[in-house]
Amino acid sequence: QVQLVESGGGLVQAGGSLRLSCAVSGLTFSWYTMAWFRQAPGKERQFVAAISWRGGKTSYGDSMKGRFTCSRENDKNTVHLQMNSLKPEDSAVYYCAAAAAGFSDTKLTGDGYADWGQGTQVTVFP
């Protein structure tokens, strides 16, 4: 059984930083493209970041570039999202997701990511 468990969310003042982690079990972690998505109340799910099987390739949503960094530790079955210079509009529930597909075959909508975590809340206040 595949499980993804996010952690590291919380309340932070604008301009601050948070580091999210996602612990994965039940699959061969290094075979999966990993990604982060977020969703705020009443809004559509938004792509945040993705990282390839070996961590050699990453991609980010436009508003995250230069502020967020995605990384993975395959020996620990863990993916991270370092978030710096946080803004109030970054407030959302952040989800990690796993896709049994190559990095270039995944979709920014989240289609193709079969396994999702329960999410961790990030709240950024002015």
Side-chain angles (χ1 to χ4, degrees):
Q1 183 177 355
V2 177
Q3 290 187 326
L4 287 72
V5 181
E6 302 96 334
S7 62
L11 287 79
V12 64
Q13 190 171 12
S17 299
L18 284 174
R19 184 174 184 256
L20 307 183
S21 297
C22 177
V24 181
S25 63
L27 53 75
T28 303
F29 183 69
S30 61
W31 294 358
Y32 284 76
T33 297
M34 299 296 300
W36 291 91
F37 296 83
R38 69 187 186 188
Q39 189 167 24
K43 297 184 178 180
E44 296 294 322
R45 184 173 62 200
Q46 184 180 33
F47 172 75
V48 176
I51 187 166
S52 62
W53 296 351
R54 300 177 182 87
K57 298 179 181 179
T58 55
S59 63
Y60 301 93
D62 288 341
S63 64
M64 295 82 177
K65 294 177 181 177
R67 300 189 299 124
F68 291 9
T69 302
C70 186
S71 62
R72 66 192 296 165
E73 297 177 279
N74 285 353
D75 59 339
K76 301 292 185 181
N77 284 16
T78 303
V79 61
H80 305 283
L81 183 69
Q82 178 67 44
M83 305 187 294
N84 299 325
S85 302
L86 284 164
K87 307 172 182 178
E89 53 263 42
D90 294 320
S91 297
V93 177
Y94 284 70
Y95 300 90
C96 65
F103 182 81
S104 62
D105 295 324
T106 56
K107 299 179 180 180
L108 301 181
T109 60
D111 293 347
Y113 287 88
D115 298 293
W116 296 76
Q118 83 289 344
T120 185
Q121 177 70 51
V122 172
T123 302
V124 184
F125 57 92

